[in-house]
Amino acid sequence: MGNFIEQLSSKQLIEVERQLFLYTQGVQEIIPTEDLKNKIAKSVLLNRPLKIKLGLDPSAPDVHLGHTVVLNKLRQFQENGHIIQLIIGDFTGKIGDPTGKSIARKQLTDEEVKRNARTYFEQFGKVLDMEKIELHYNSKWLSLLNFEDVINMAGKITVARLLERDDFEERLAFGKPISLHEFFYPLMQGYDSVVLESDIELGGTDQHFNILMGRHFQEKFGKEKQVAMLMPLLEGLDGVEKMSKSKKNYIGIDESPQEMYGKAMSIPDELMNKYFELATDLTTEEIKKIKEELDTGIFHPRDAKMLLGKTIVRMYHGAEAAKQAEEHFISVFQQGSIPDEIPIVEWHGESQASVIDLLIQLNLQNSKSEARRMIENNGVRINGEKVRDIQLRVPVTNDLIVQVGKRKFVKIKM
Amino acid sequence: MGNFIEQLSSKQLIEVERQLFLYTQGVQEIIPTEDLKNKIAKSVLLNRPLKIKLGLDPSAPDVHLGHTVVLNKLRQFQENGHIIQLIIGDFTGKIGDPTGKSIARKQLTDEEVKRNARTYFEQFGKVLDMEKIELHYNSKWLSLLNFEDVINMAGKITVARLLERDDFEERLAFGKPISLHEFFYPLMQGYDSVVLESDIELGGTDQHFNILMGRHFQEKFGKEKQVAMLMPLLEGLDGVEKMSKSKKNYIGIDESPQEMYGKAMSIPDELMNKYFELATDLTTEEIKKIKEELDTGIFHPRDAKMLLGKTIVRMYHGAEAAKQAEEHFISVFQQGSIPDEIPIVEWHGESQASVIDLLIQLNLQNSKSEARRMIENNGVRINGEKVRDIQLRVPVTNDLIVQVGKRKFVKIKM
């Protein structure tokens, strides 16, 4: 690739700088930034869109805010006229794990792959304009490769280079088996970039090795090398671990407005800025202002977090749903003066219980007569709503909040 | 595989023990001997031949005595009714070296592969009955494998296991690159055994890793496991290095009777027994007798070596040629009393020279007139033959022996 920056008019250069600034916001690592700038320059100069690649695992189609870090970045590219290439890694999915050891890598049928892809598509539609998306299934080209092609591909990479991947290096060092076929997953991902001639590949920082493989293979196959853009990994609600389905610390983008809002309110204060930056569509200026007002104390953390919750709900459910979720939260938690810290009680009873049994089993009342009296006096609320029927049967669910009088609260954990 | 030994009649057991004794002669390692015995027992019991596999590199079809170590062992199996499977590794040959670094692994055309295979065939015919041979080209099955098949194959072996191969281990340790495709050469060889359901695979001890790969893969693919039979590597004429074409220390089985005999006479005494055992068709008893007679001094090493030379020539050119080669050797070297140690002189002149110039340049004569006189007096021999023509032009070749009078000898080195 020649140097396109040198050929730009000053007006074009301003446009290149504008895009470069936008795309580099919130990114953890760009390899290398010069190439990114030059690719943008080429695109501006030739009025030709860049191809921005994102690979997807077809076995785990539940999309949560952790995924949207990358999707939000893709949207920026899309809004500037670039082409988004979504690759469903169905070839890998259809093979499964030949050693049979990994349950996660079980073999998927064509139908499962298609269904999972549809699920992705529906969810991604909340962030991206799916009509402008290029969707690819990598089985289209990978299933056509024969043994000779594979040997030629394998001839373009050394064993030592593959063993540099952290997990491989560690497993080899500790005598944990690496099955040879595992070496091919990064190779396939790299080869996808060769076939699609991607300009940029996005991923989390955990994709560092695999995305650079694409750059390596493009060079070996005589193509222009892609730029690796690595996004930070978003910690989940626990504030520690990477957001993931298995850790149950996620906000799914298909969750209801109330769930979403409530979960957003449980994010640790120190992660708020990161969530604003990586998980919302607010502009750099808006985020900067929030940060300053928080620092100077103009903005109360609680209010900032409510803005975060409202923004996230608005992104996936619209402005009206966001407003309602906020109102619901205020009516239940704030007007009722629910304290920040509610004692959590594990529930080992039936999945349905009469309200009286519930109060006794949770040790909120000592006797049935006492409980009955409290309900009759309008002193019992479940999820903020007054209980008016003494016979009420309550479906017991996770995070159900039971309140007696003004100060006694319990949150149920199943 | 069940235990077939237990099911044998005593007569059958004697036959099994006879074959087992024969096949194990001169073998360096058998992995494992129990399986070999059980396979022979199965063959005797069910009256079904065993399949004995030998893989061949299609790029180096010049067969020398080093190769015949394995071929002689195959002949024993063939003479006992078993099936010899020769595999031309043409798939590998056609791929060549995708990194382009190895000159030895240059890509072969279909035609070259076929021609090399024919060359093997002609030469092997001197040891084996080629009409009873099964000839296979492994491209027949390997070229049909697709990426998914390759992944499945790769799923049956770990990276650590492959890195146990001495050369891989060493290269990784010393930071010398191993291209990933190199891992597939032992895999292919192993997969060949799966397809052909080989019972035994023969090779030199340097094939230890690759042949065990066949055993490993057969098990992983649910087949009966082959036995590895590893033959010692035959040192070349220098007595140190493994016989090989590149080392120029070999006796090719296509060489002329005189060359063959002469080269055999240059084998170091201490290797004679090994050559008798590995490179001739003499029986165990005959070899044992020669060894004893050498040890007790009944047999002179020079005579033993002449028997070795004569035996080798007889194997590849027949009894008559062997007799002539011996007579030639005696007439030239022994009757002429050529000493054991002949001074070697490096030749820097033209590739042809007049006999007179030759004598002077080799410092065997001081003047042209002196040289002329010596020739006229029948005092000059070249390779043992009297020079009768004073004008003779001599093609100067390596190992050419020039003799003046009874005691002056010179051997030319180019």
Side-chain angles (χ1 to χ4, degrees):
Chain A
M1 185 167 61
N3 186 328
F4 291 95
I5 297 160
E6 287 170 355
Q7 305 172 49
L8 297 170
S9 69
S10 56
K11 201 180 145 200
Q12 288 170 326
L13 188 59
I14 291 167
E15 169 59 11
V16 169
E17 294 289 359
R18 183 192 68 79
Q19 287 194 36
L20 185 65
F21 175 79
L22 178 66
Y23 303 146
T24 52
Q25 295 308 304
V27 180
Q28 179 101 4
E29 199 178 358
I30 296 171
I31 308 167
T33 308
E34 313 85 85
D35 282 11
L36 176 61
K37 188 171 176 182
N38 201 25
K39 277 184 184 268
I40 298 170
K42 183 179 176 184
S43 157
V44 167
L45 196 71
L46 306 179
N47 193 24
R48 196 194 288 166
L50 296 173
K51 295 175 193 162
I52 322 295
K53 175 191 170 196
L54 177 68
L56 300 169
D57 176 353
S59 67
D62 276 312
V63 180
H64 54 61
L65 282 198
H67 299 113
T68 67
V69 175
V70 171
L71 297 182
N72 291 331
K73 184 55 68 183
L74 284 181
R75 194 190 49 235
Q76 294 178 338
F77 281 102
Q78 193 178 51
E79 286 171 352
N80 282 279
H82 301 296
I83 295 168
I84 308 305
Q85 302 175 315
L86 294 183
I87 327 297
I88 307 275
D90 68 326
F91 185 71
T92 327
K94 276 192 227 160
I95 290 172
D97 176 18
T99 65
K101 276 177 197 153
S102 158
I103 305 157
R105 278 237 185 267
K106 75 171 174 56
Q107 209 159 340
L108 300 176
T109 63
D110 274 356
E111 211 168 301
E112 285 170 316
V113 167
K114 284 273 184 309
R115 190 173 57 229
N116 290 349
R118 256 198 314 276
T119 313
Y120 269 127
F121 224 71
E122 284 160 15
Q123 295 177 87
F124 281 18
K126 296 181 175 175
V127 184
L128 299 169
D129 179 351
M130 297 310 279
E131 288 190 7
K132 291 184 186 159
I133 287 287
E134 268 187 21
L135 183 71
H136 300 279
Y137 293 85
N138 68 1
S139 64
K140 190 177 166 191
W141 49 86
L142 293 179
S143 66
L144 297 181
L145 298 184
N146 62 26
F147 200 177
E148 184 169 346
D149 300 323
V150 176
I151 293 282
N152 276 318
M153 192 194 295
K156 298 187 191 303
I157 187 84
T158 67
V159 172
R161 172 82 187 259
L162 286 160
L163 287 173
E164 278 169 17
R165 204 173 83 170
D166 293 344
D167 57 332
F168 289 152
E169 192 177 20
E170 202 178 292
R171 280 157 68 193
L172 192 72
F174 287 97
K176 288 185 195 158
I178 305 163
S179 178
L180 179 58
H181 80 279
E182 297 180 66
F183 274 4
F184 281 92
Y185 295 127
L187 264 68
M188 290 176 195
Q189 190 170 335
Y191 190 74
D192 291 347
S193 295
V194 174
V195 173
L196 295 174
E197 301 185 331
S198 311
D199 289 299
I200 297 169
E201 181 166 355
L202 256 74
T205 51
D206 51 354
Q207 288 291 306
H208 186 277
F209 182 91
N210 294 345
I211 292 179
L212 286 184
M213 197 55 72
R215 193 170 156 81
H216 173 84
F217 269 104
Q218 284 175 323
E219 184 175 26
K220 291 285 181 183
F221 280 94
K223 305 273 185 178
E224 192 179 302
K225 288 184 281 181
Q226 69 181 17
V227 171
M229 275 186 94
L230 306 173
M231 301 303 294
L233 299 178
L234 189 67
E235 289 87 354
L237 305 178
D238 53 13
V240 182
E241 303 254 30
K242 171 188 166 186
M243 185 179 282
S244 80
K245 204 184 167 193
S246 62
K247 292 282 189 299
K248 294 190 176 163
N249 61 355
Y250 67 98
I251 303 178
I253 69 170
D254 249 1
E255 293 192 78
S256 74
Q258 281 185 27
E259 278 172 311
M260 230 175 210
Y261 193 98
K263 282 186 175 182
M265 293 310 290
S266 77
I267 293 165
D269 285 358
E270 59 276 19
L271 277 180
M272 248 198 294
N273 280 322
K274 194 165 181 185
Y275 269 73
F276 271 118
E277 188 169 51
L278 299 176
T280 72
D281 57 1
L282 301 185
T283 64
T284 310
E285 291 70 36
E286 288 169 323
I287 293 166
K288 199 176 155 200
K289 189 165 165 256
I290 292 166
K291 193 167 178 294
E292 281 167 4
E293 292 188 353
L294 270 168
D295 286 347
T296 53
I298 297 172
F299 212 12
H300 188 276
R302 174 134 207 151
D303 297 335
K305 211 179 284 178
M306 286 175 74
L307 174 61
L308 177 64
K310 199 174 171 183
T311 306
I312 291 172
V313 176
R314 190 253 304 145
M315 287 172 70
Y316 301 103
H317 296 283
E320 184 52 34
K323 200 175 140 231
Q324 282 174 15
E326 186 179 56
E327 281 168 6
H328 174 81
F329 181 83
I330 292 170
S331 79
V332 174
F333 296 95
Q334 289 197 310
Q335 294 188 341
S337 298
I338 294 177
D340 277 3
E341 301 277 320
I342 301 177
I344 286 166
V345 173
E346 288 214 11
W347 178 257
H348 301 290
E350 301 290 316
S351 60
Q352 271 215 350
S354 77
V355 61
I356 290 173
D357 286 347
L358 192 67
L359 293 173
I360 289 167
Q361 283 189 49
L362 292 171
N363 285 325
L364 291 167
Q365 294 288 286
N366 295 322
S367 70
K368 289 195 174 190
S369 56
E370 211 179 304
R372 200 176 299 118
R373 213 159 30 243
M374 187 57 86
I375 297 164
E376 283 164 354
N377 292 336
N378 292 330
V380 176
R381 284 168 187 260
I382 288 178
N383 274 354
E385 280 185 40
K386 270 187 203 140
V387 176
R388 295 170 205 278
D389 177 4
I390 211 159
Q391 308 286 349
L392 181 73
R393 291 195 67 77
V394 183
V396 185
T397 56
N398 207 24
D399 294 337
L400 191 82
I401 293 174
V402 184
Q403 178 182 1
V404 175
K406 292 255 174 230
R407 299 265 159 257
K408 276 164 90 177
F409 293 87
V410 150
K411 190 181 201 171
I412 285 175
K413 198 173 155 230
M414 302 287 286
Chain B
M1 186 168 59
N3 186 329
F4 293 94
I5 298 160
E6 287 171 353
Q7 304 170 49
L8 297 171
S9 69
S10 56
K11 198 179 148 201
Q12 287 170 327
L13 188 60
I14 289 167
E15 169 59 12
V16 169
E17 294 288 0
R18 182 192 69 78
Q19 288 193 37
L20 185 66
F21 174 79
L22 178 66
Y23 303 145
T24 53
Q25 295 309 305
V27 180
Q28 179 99 4
E29 199 178 2
I30 296 171
I31 308 168
T33 309
E34 312 86 84
D35 283 10
L36 176 61
K37 186 169 178 182
N38 201 26
K39 278 184 184 271
I40 298 169
K42 184 180 175 183
S43 158
V44 167
L45 196 71
L46 307 179
N47 193 24
R48 196 194 288 167
L50 295 174
K51 296 176 192 159
I52 321 295
K53 175 189 169 197
L54 178 68
L56 300 169
D57 176 355
S59 67
D62 276 312
V63 180
H64 55 61
L65 282 198
H67 299 113
T68 67
V69 176
V70 171
L71 297 182
N72 292 331
K73 185 54 69 182
L74 283 181
R75 194 191 49 238
Q76 293 178 338
F77 280 103
Q78 193 178 50
E79 285 171 350
N80 282 278
H82 300 296
I83 295 168
I84 308 304
Q85 304 175 315
L86 294 184
I87 327 296
I88 308 274
D90 69 326
F91 185 71
T92 328
K94 277 192 229 163
I95 290 173
D97 176 17
T99 65
K101 278 176 196 153
S102 160
I103 305 156
R105 277 236 186 268
K106 77 170 172 59
Q107 210 158 339
L108 300 176
T109 63
D110 275 356
E111 212 168 299
E112 285 171 314
V113 166
K114 284 274 184 312
R115 190 173 59 230
N116 290 348
R118 255 197 318 273
T119 312
Y120 270 128
F121 224 71
E122 284 160 14
Q123 296 178 85
F124 281 18
K126 296 182 175 174
V127 184
L128 299 170
D129 179 350
M130 297 310 279
E131 288 191 8
K132 290 183 185 161
I133 287 286
E134 268 187 20
L135 183 70
H136 300 278
Y137 293 85
N138 69 0
S139 63
K140 190 176 165 191
W141 50 85
L142 293 179
S143 65
L144 298 181
L145 297 184
N146 62 25
F147 201 177
E148 183 169 345
D149 299 324
V150 176
I151 293 282
N152 275 318
M153 191 195 293
K156 298 187 192 303
I157 186 83
T158 67
V159 172
R161 172 83 186 258
L162 286 159
L163 287 173
E164 278 169 17
R165 206 174 82 168
D166 292 345
D167 57 332
F168 288 151
E169 193 177 20
E170 204 177 292
R171 281 158 67 194
L172 192 71
F174 287 97
K176 288 186 194 157
I178 305 163
S179 178
L180 178 58
H181 80 280
E182 297 180 66
F183 274 5
F184 281 92
Y185 295 128
L187 265 67
M188 290 175 194
Q189 190 170 336
Y191 190 73
D192 291 347
S193 295
V194 174
V195 173
L196 296 175
E197 302 185 331
S198 310
D199 288 300
I200 297 170
E201 181 166 354
L202 255 73
T205 51
D206 51 354
Q207 287 292 306
H208 186 277
F209 183 90
N210 295 344
I211 293 179
L212 285 185
M213 197 55 71
R215 193 170 156 83
H216 174 83
F217 269 106
Q218 284 175 323
E219 184 175 27
K220 289 287 181 182
F221 280 95
K223 305 271 185 179
E224 192 178 303
K225 287 183 281 181
Q226 70 182 15
V227 170
M229 273 186 98
L230 306 174
M231 302 303 294
L233 299 179
L234 190 68
E235 289 86 353
L237 305 178
D238 54 11
V240 181
E241 301 254 29
K242 171 189 165 185
M243 184 178 283
S244 81
K245 205 185 166 193
S246 62
K247 293 281 188 296
K248 294 189 177 160
N249 61 355
Y250 67 99
I251 302 177
I253 69 169
D254 249 0
E255 293 191 76
S256 74
Q258 282 185 26
E259 280 173 308
M260 229 177 210
Y261 193 98
K263 283 187 175 183
M265 293 310 290
S266 77
I267 293 166
D269 286 358
E270 58 275 18
L271 276 180
M272 248 198 295
N273 281 323
K274 195 165 182 185
Y275 269 73
F276 271 119
E277 188 168 52
L278 299 176
T280 73
D281 56 1
L282 300 185
T283 64
T284 310
E285 290 71 34
E286 288 168 325
I287 293 166
K288 199 176 155 200
K289 188 163 166 259
I290 291 166
K291 196 170 176 295
E292 281 168 4
E293 292 188 354
L294 270 169
D295 287 347
T296 53
I298 296 171
F299 212 11
H300 189 277
R302 175 133 205 150
D303 297 335
K305 214 181 281 179
M306 286 173 75
L307 174 61
L308 177 63
K310 198 173 173 182
T311 306
I312 292 172
V313 176
R314 191 253 303 146
M315 287 171 71
Y316 301 103
H317 296 285
E320 184 51 34
K323 200 175 140 234
Q324 282 173 15
E326 187 178 56
E327 280 167 4
H328 174 81
F329 181 83
I330 291 168
S331 78
V332 174
F333 296 94
Q334 289 199 312
Q335 293 188 342
S337 296
I338 293 179
D340 278 3
E341 301 276 319
I342 301 176
I344 288 167
V345 172
E346 288 216 10
W347 178 256
H348 299 291
E350 299 291 316
S351 59
Q352 271 213 353
S354 76
V355 61
I356 291 174
D357 286 348
L358 192 67
L359 293 173
I360 289 168
Q361 283 191 48
L362 292 172
N363 286 325
L364 291 168
Q365 296 288 286
N366 295 321
S367 70
K368 288 194 178 196
S369 55
E370 206 178 309
R372 202 176 296 119
R373 212 161 28 246
M374 188 55 88
I375 297 165
E376 282 163 357
N377 292 337
N378 291 333
V380 175
R381 285 169 186 261
I382 288 180
N383 273 357
E385 282 186 40
K386 271 189 202 138
V387 176
R388 295 173 205 277
D389 176 5
I390 211 161
Q391 309 285 348
L392 183 71
R393 291 197 65 78
V394 182
V396 187
T397 55
N398 207 24
D399 294 337
L400 191 82
I401 292 175
V402 184
Q403 178 181 2
V404 175
K406 292 253 176 231
R407 297 269 159 255
K408 276 164 90 178
F409 293 87
V410 148
K411 190 179 200 171
I412 285 177
K413 200 175 154 231
M414 304 286 284

